């Protein structure tokens, strides 16, 4: 196993320099460079005082030599060696130290061959290293030639010997010891970066920090596929208008994009026939947008076209992370220094400033740096963009996260057209009082999500993002659950009629979805719904109707080893129409209630209590006498651990509700009470929200193509509901459901799909005097 390293990644050891440095010794490792045309990258460094750096050196294209370097620094002495390094190939590095009396020599080897004069270091040098050995970086805050030094790539079979290996032994080490055993002569410590090696010399302490990941390798060029995609503190988009098509002219390590400036791009509009064309057919005056939010750290917009000094905007996205937009138009920057820049906010238009006498060389130069350009020692570092399209022939390929390379044609995906019926009552969730997530499926069966987060996105809502690769058919309907304010879980039925789940964690895995992960096998109906519920941040329960008509459940407990799903278990012997949706409610961490419409049109319920009946499901029981078309919907909600409310649109087109409260009416269900006089499509889903234990709001698609709502609160006469009222002039597709979420006692958000497959939202804020519904706003 090797360790993969990216920006800010390193591995610490407990091996102290005092254990080997004073005497003759040898340090060696195999390494595969990811970016050999970049800046210094310590393969081996110190964590402590003084200086020890052995690794990749600085590449400077402007010097005209075009030669890669290795670098060695011990104490106050340093030397660079011109060598031939190639990205994606394995190399062996060794540093052999003699044991002189007054001064010592350190000889660097590449692939078993000495590569230049040794470095001579006096024993009296005050900067000799003290502390422990580190791989990938130096001591935090320590630099190499004024720059933050980082090795990018893979390190394998690092070794520390307490003797100076001969050249023949170094060559043998380079050719035969890709996998250390621990029995090598003079070996003090060996590092394979794996779990628990048997030999004690190979089992020294290691600690991975930042983007440092153990990866399995085979010792061939195929290992380059294990390079890490870079990470950063904020998710980044391509800085383009949605749907605009751009071409990568230059990317990492091309021409002058080398050394400290290695990790930058040049982009142009793909449609242009020459560099002088103007937007929308050319790059001149093309708009660019903030790839991520932050603060405008530096703005310059005074320069005319063709001058040596570029206009630019720099956004501080996070501590030590600055995004630079360069070659902008005169007086065209729409940011003000020290003010917030929202994700997706227009930054400027592109022009040709900073390109000397060329007035038509319009392009956007973009890169991420660890500080602004006016600070000494600045370096760029690699980043990946999320959720974009890359052109392959005439087709567009989705890239979940990637690094654009020269010649690629890219775009941010256009807003998809959605299946109206893919919007379900549970398609929207409010993880916090200031965030919303909504999900829908396009006409090809791809699941998409959009997010609202207060004060984050320039258009209030983020753009639509693809959740995971396509797995279902065109009728796919996704169900989503929020376990806590940082997690989302989604459930779908694949084209193989088996259940799958995907998961997302805020700030985890670069904000990318993980999955699809197959749940235990259960054959479902085509596009059969899978309902999920969370009764604890570490627990998930799912429910589905099998192809045999039985109701089944499976469960996940993340506190258990391996985080494996268990089930499916059949709940009782009830048989319902295949494809019927099960509604599930968690009243508290130890109670679950489920509801389903049977083939006889009755509403059935079953219950589970961790403290009752050996944790066996109890039921099925009918809820009074309901009449719902078989296969229709029942909606349930719990506004208190001891209360349940259910809702249906009956066969007579009326909306009805029933209620249960423990200890009331002999703990029997009461109802059904009709909600108002409006009529709706029988069996249509009613969406219910409880924003307070004493308040209920319901929503349903009307026969007139509008969204209708009604409300109930404790204290209203009898069981009377208020309503129905229409919400604005929003239109909803026939047969579609309304999604709704509440971010607090005075907040409601509703979502509806119009007949053209476009999602809209409206909002109500009860803390505003004379509160009225606002919207409908198009999402995307």
């Amino acid at each position: 196993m090797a360790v993969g390293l990216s920006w800010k990644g390193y591995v610490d050891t407990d091996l102290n320099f005092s254990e080997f440095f004073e005497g003759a010794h040898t340090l060696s490792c195999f390494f595969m460079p990811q970016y050999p045309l970049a800046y210094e990258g310590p393969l081996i460094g110190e964590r402590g005082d003084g200086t020890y750096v052995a690794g990749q050196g600085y590449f400077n294209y402007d010097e005209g030599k075009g030669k890669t370097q290795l670098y060695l620094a011990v104490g106050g002495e340093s030397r660079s060696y011109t060598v031939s390094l190639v990205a994606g190939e394995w190399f062996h590095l060794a540093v052999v130290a003699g044991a002189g009396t007054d001064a010592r020599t350190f000889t660097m080897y590449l692939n078993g061959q000495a590569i230049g004069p040794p470095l001579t270091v006096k024993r009296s040098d005050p900067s000799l290293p003290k502390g422990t050995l580190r791989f990938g970086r130096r001591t935090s805050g320590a630099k190499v030639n004024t720059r933050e030094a980082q090795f990018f790539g893979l390190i394998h079979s690092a070794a520390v010997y307490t003797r100076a290996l001969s050249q023949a032994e170094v060559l043998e080490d380079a050719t035969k010891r890709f996998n250390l055993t621990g029995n090598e002569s003079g070996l003090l410590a060996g590092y394979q970066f794996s779990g628990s090696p048997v030999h004690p010399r190979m089992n020294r302490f290691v600690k991975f920090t930042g983007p440092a990941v153990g990866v399995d390798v085979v010792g061939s060029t195929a290992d380059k596929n294990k390079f890490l995609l870079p990470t950063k503190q904020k998710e980044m988009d391509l800085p383009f208008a949605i749907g605009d098509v751009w071409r990568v002219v230059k990317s990492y390590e091309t021409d002058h994009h080398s050394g400290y400036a290695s990790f930058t791009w040049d982009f142009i509009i793909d449609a242009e026939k020459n560099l002088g064309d103007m937007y929308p057919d050319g790059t001149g005056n093309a708009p660019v947008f903030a790839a991520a939010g932050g603060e405008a750290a530096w703005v310059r917009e005074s320069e005319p076209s063709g001058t040596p000094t570029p206009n630019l905007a720099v956004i501080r996205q996070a501590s030590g992370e600055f995004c630079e937009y360069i070659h902008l138009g005169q007086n065209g920057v729409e940011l003000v220094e020290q003010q917030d820049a929202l994700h997706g906010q227009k930054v400027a238009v592109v022009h040709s400033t900073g390109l000397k006498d060329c007035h038509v060389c319009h392009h956007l130069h973009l890169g991420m740096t660890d500080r602004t350009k006016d600070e000494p020692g600045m370096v760029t570092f690699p980043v990946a963009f999320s959720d974009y399209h890359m052109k392959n022939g005439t087709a567009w390929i989705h890239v979940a996260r990637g690094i654009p390379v020269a010649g690629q044609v890219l775009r941010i995906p256009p807003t998809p057209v959605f299946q109206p019926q893919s919007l379900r009552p549970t398609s929207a969730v409010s993880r916090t009082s200031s965030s919303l997530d909504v999900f829908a499926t396009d006409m090809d069966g791809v699941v998409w999500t959009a997010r609202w987060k207060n004060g984050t996105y320039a258009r209030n809502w983020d753009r639509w993002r693809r959740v995971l690769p396509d797995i279902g058919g065109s009728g796919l309907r996704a169900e989503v659950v929020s376990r806590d304010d940082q997690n989302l879980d989604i459930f779908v039925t694949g084209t193989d009629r088996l259940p799958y789940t995907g998961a997302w964690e805020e700030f985890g895995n670069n904000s990318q979805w993980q999955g699809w992960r197959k749940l235990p096998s259960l054959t479902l109906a085509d596009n059969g719904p899978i309902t999920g519920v969370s009764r604890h941040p570490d627990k998930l329960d799912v429910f589905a109707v099998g192809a045999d008509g039985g109701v089944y459940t499976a469960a996940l407990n993340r506190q258990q080893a391996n985080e494996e799903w268990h089930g499916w278990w059949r709940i009782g012997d009830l048989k319902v129409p295949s494809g019927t949706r099960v509604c599930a409610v968690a009243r508290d961490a130890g109670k679950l209630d489920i509801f389903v419409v049977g083939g006889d049109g009755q509403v059935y319920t079953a219950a589970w209590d961790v403290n009752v009946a050996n944790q066996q499901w109890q039921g099925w029981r009918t809820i009074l006498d309901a009449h719902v078309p078989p296969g229709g919907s029942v909606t349930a909600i719990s506004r208190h651990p001891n209360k349940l409310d259910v809702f249906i649109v009956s066969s007579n087109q009326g909306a009805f509700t029933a209620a249960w409260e423990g200890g009331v009416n002999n703990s029997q269900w009461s109802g059904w009470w009709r909600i108002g006089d409006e009529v709706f499509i029988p069996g249509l889903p009613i969406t219910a929200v409880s924003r307070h234990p004493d308040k209920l709001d319901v929503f349903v698609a009307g026969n007139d193509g509008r969204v209708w709502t009604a409300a109930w609160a404790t204290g209203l006469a009898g069981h009377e509901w208020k309503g129905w009222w229409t919400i604005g002039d929003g239109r909803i597709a026939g047969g579609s459901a309304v999604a709704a979420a509440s971010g607090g006692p005075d907040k409601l958000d509703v979502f509806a799909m119009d007949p053209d497959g476009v999602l809209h939202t409206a909002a109500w804020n009860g803390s505003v005097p004379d509160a009225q519904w606002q919207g409908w706003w198009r999402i995307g």
Side-chain angles (χ1 to χ4, degrees):
M1 182 170 282
V3 60
L5 297 163
S6 191
W7 180 250
K8 298 291 187 181
Y10 56 88
V11 179
D12 274 323
T13 76
D14 66 353
L15 184 63
N16 203 294
F17 277 89
S18 63
E19 296 181 56
F20 64 88
F21 189 77
E22 288 300 313
H25 64 271
T26 302
L27 301 181
S28 68
C29 69
F30 286 87
F31 71 101
M32 178 180 279
Q34 188 172 3
Y35 301 114
L37 308 186
Y39 40 82
E40 294 90 348
L43 293 163
I44 303 170
E46 88 294 331
R47 177 180 180 263
D49 298 323
T51 299
Y52 189 96
V53 181
Q56 189 173 309
Y58 189 84
F59 179 93
N60 193 340
Y61 180 90
D62 292 329
E63 291 181 352
K65 296 180 180 180
K67 298 292 185 181
T68 51
Q69 306 281 322
L70 285 177
Y71 179 80
L72 178 63
V74 181
E77 305 295 330
S78 63
R79 185 184 297 276
S80 293
Y81 304 89
T82 298
V83 294
S84 294
L85 298 179
V86 179
E89 292 189 7
W90 282 108
F91 297 89
H92 180 269
L93 176 85
V95 179
V96 178
T101 302
D102 298 321
R104 309 174 64 196
T105 59
F106 293 80
T107 303
M108 182 171 272
Y109 292 81
L110 182 67
N111 292 341
Q113 302 298 320
I115 56 176
L119 188 68
T120 301
V121 183
K122 293 182 178 180
R123 284 190 175 273
S124 59
D125 190 317
S127 300
L128 295 178
K130 297 177 183 177
T132 54
L133 209 63
R134 173 177 283 183
F135 300 105
R137 289 176 74 88
R138 288 192 64 198
T139 302
S140 299
K143 298 177 174 59
V144 179
N145 296 326
T146 75
R147 288 179 287 269
E148 192 81 31
Q150 172 73 56
F151 174 72
F152 299 94
L154 308 178
I155 302 176
H156 183 63
S157 293
V160 180
Y161 297 89
T162 54
R163 63 189 186 86
L165 270 61
S166 67
Q167 181 163 2
E169 289 175 312
V170 172
L171 182 59
E172 182 181 12
D173 201 52
T175 56
K176 297 182 179 180
R177 291 182 180 148
F178 189 76
N179 291 294
L180 296 167
T181 66
N183 296 313
E184 290 77 10
S185 175
L187 183 69
L188 173 64
Y191 299 93
Q192 297 280 53
F193 306 104
S194 59
S196 300
V198 175
H199 201 291
R201 295 194 189 105
M202 301 290 296
N203 202 19
R204 297 289 294 255
F205 167 85
V206 292
K207 179 183 178 182
F208 289 38
T209 299
V213 178
V215 295
D216 290 322
V217 293
V218 296
S220 73
T221 56
D223 293 329
K224 64 185 178 183
N225 296 320
K226 303 297 179 68
F227 286 150
L228 302 188
L229 270 177
T231 60
K232 66 276 184 191
Q233 297 178 60
K234 286 191 176 179
E235 184 178 23
M236 288 180 66
D237 286 335
L238 290 170
F240 312 141
I242 291 175
D244 275 2
V245 180
W246 290 70
R247 180 181 295 275
V248 186
V249 180
K250 293 181 182 179
S251 54
Y252 291 178
E253 301 184 306
T254 54
D255 290 352
H256 300 286
H257 296 190
S258 63
Y260 79 91
S262 283
F263 305 111
T264 55
W265 296 271
D266 287 346
F267 297 104
I268 63 170
I269 290 283
D270 185 55
E272 64 184 67
K273 303 301 184 294
N274 62 69
L275 295 177
D277 287 346
M278 302 297 284
Y279 185 79
D281 297 317
T283 311
N285 291 322
V288 292
F289 301 84
E295 178 191 61
W298 186 16
V299 170
R300 181 169 61 219
E301 59 177 350
S302 59
E303 300 298 318
S305 297
T307 57
T309 303
N311 290 329
L312 53 81
V314 180
I315 296 176
R316 182 188 292 107
Q317 295 181 178
S319 175
E321 296 184 1
F322 297 81
C323 189
E324 295 190 338
Y325 305 76
I326 300 178
H327 307 311
L328 308 180
Q330 187 177 27
N331 300 321
V333 179
E334 300 192 11
L335 303 177
V336 178
E337 286 187 7
Q338 298 182 344
Q339 290 189 0
D340 288 342
L342 298 179
H343 191 146
Q345 178 178 345
K346 185 178 178 182
V347 173
V349 295
V350 178
H351 226 270
S352 57
T353 59
L355 297 171
K356 298 183 179 179
D357 297 325
C358 185
H359 293 262
V360 293
C361 300
H362 311 296
H363 71 273
L364 173 67
H365 179 93
L366 183 81
M368 286 290 291
T369 67
D370 65 338
R371 63 203 69 199
T372 57
K373 263 191 183 304
D374 57 347
E375 297 181 60
M378 182 203 77
V379 295
T380 59
F381 60 89
V383 295
F385 296 104
S386 296
D387 301 306
Y388 62 89
H389 277 173
M390 179 182 69
K391 201 167 190 180
N392 182 13
T394 59
W396 289 102
I397 307 300
H398 177 255
V399 180
R401 284 187 74 238
I403 303 173
V405 300
Q408 288 181 342
V409 175
L410 313 170
R411 72 176 182 181
I412 292 179
T415 298
V417 176
F418 296 109
Q419 302 173 35
Q421 284 72 34
S422 71
L423 193 70
R424 312 307 299 157
T426 59
S427 292
V429 295
S430 178
R431 293 180 287 116
T432 71
S433 61
S434 60
S435 69
L436 291 162
D437 299 85
V438 63
F439 296 79
T441 304
D442 69 16
M443 305 306 289
D444 296 321
V446 178
V447 181
W448 297 74
T449 182
R451 175 167 298 127
W452 173 83
K453 196 171 184 179
N454 190 35
T456 299
Y457 302 107
R459 295 179 293 273
N460 290 319
W461 281 83
D462 187 18
R463 65 182 176 91
W464 286 99
R465 299 179 185 274
R466 188 168 173 159
V467 171
L468 286 164
D470 183 16
I471 194 173
S474 60
L476 182 70
R477 299 178 183 183
E479 300 268 353
V480 64
V481 174
S482 173
R483 293 184 281 115
D484 56 29
D485 61 0
Q486 295 188 9
N487 286 276
L488 292 167
D489 295 271
I490 192 169
F491 303 93
V492 300
T493 298
T495 53
D496 56 5
R497 300 174 63 189
L498 297 177
Y500 292 83
T501 182
W504 176 89
E505 180 180 6
E506 182 126 45
F507 311 119
N509 193 51
N510 296 292
S511 298
Q512 299 301 299
W513 281 83
Q514 297 297 291
W516 296 102
R517 182 181 179 188
K518 186 181 290 187
L519 296 175
S521 291
L522 175 68
T523 302
L524 306 172
D526 289 336
N527 299 314
I530 304 168
T531 305
V533 67
S534 174
R535 51 193 171 88
H536 181 278
D538 289 324
K539 295 179 181 180
L540 284 167
D541 296 88
V542 293
F543 303 88
V545 174
D548 61 356
V551 179
Y552 292 84
T553 183
L556 171 69
N557 186 342
R558 295 182 182 275
Q559 297 173 343
Q560 295 177 345
N562 300 322
E563 296 188 2
E564 293 294 331
W565 282 87
H566 297 280
W568 297 82
W569 305 286
R570 183 161 181 172
I571 300 173
D573 57 2
L574 180 68
K575 189 172 183 178
V576 301
S578 180
T580 299
R581 182 181 184 273
V582 181
C583 182
V585 173
R587 289 189 280 129
D588 61 28
K591 294 184 177 70
L592 290 167
D593 295 87
I594 58 174
F595 306 85
V596 68
V597 175
D600 56 0
Q602 294 294 311
V603 175
Y604 289 82
T605 183
W608 175 89
D609 189 322
V610 70
N611 297 312
V612 174
N614 254 346
Q615 300 187 22
Q616 298 299 305
W617 282 86
Q618 302 297 298
W620 297 87
R621 305 182 182 92
T622 58
I623 298 178
L624 304 172
D625 186 21
H627 296 279
V628 184
S633 293
V634 55
T635 301
I637 195 167
S638 173
R639 51 194 171 88
H640 181 278
N642 208 34
K643 296 180 180 181
L644 290 166
D645 297 89
V646 296
F647 304 88
I648 59 170
V649 177
S650 76
S651 297
N652 71 359
Q653 304 182 66
F656 289 84
T657 182
W660 174 91
E661 183 174 353
V664 175
N665 190 33
N666 292 319
S667 296
Q668 300 298 306
W669 284 88
S670 300
W672 297 86
W673 304 287
R674 182 157 184 169
I675 302 173
D677 297 324
E678 293 297 326
V679 294
F680 306 100
I681 298 173
L684 193 70
I686 294 178
T687 301
V689 173
S690 175
R691 51 193 170 89
H692 182 278
D694 293 324
K695 295 180 180 180
L696 289 166
D697 296 87
V698 294
F699 308 88
V700 66
N703 295 336
D704 58 356
R706 293 188 293 175
V707 175
W708 291 74
T709 183
W712 175 91
T714 298
L716 294 178
H719 292 285
E720 291 184 7
W721 282 71
K722 298 298 184 183
W724 298 85
W725 311 282
T726 58
I727 299 177
D729 58 357
R731 311 302 294 178
I732 186 168
S736 179
V738 181
S742 173
D746 293 315
K747 293 182 179 181
L748 288 168
D749 295 88
V750 296
F751 305 84
M753 196 78 71
D754 73 15
D756 296 324
V758 178
L759 189 65
H760 297 260
T761 182
W764 177 86
N765 189 336
S767 63
V768 177
D770 193 26
Q772 301 294 318
W773 282 92
Q774 303 295 313
W776 297 83
W777 303 286
R778 175 174 176 156
I779 299 178

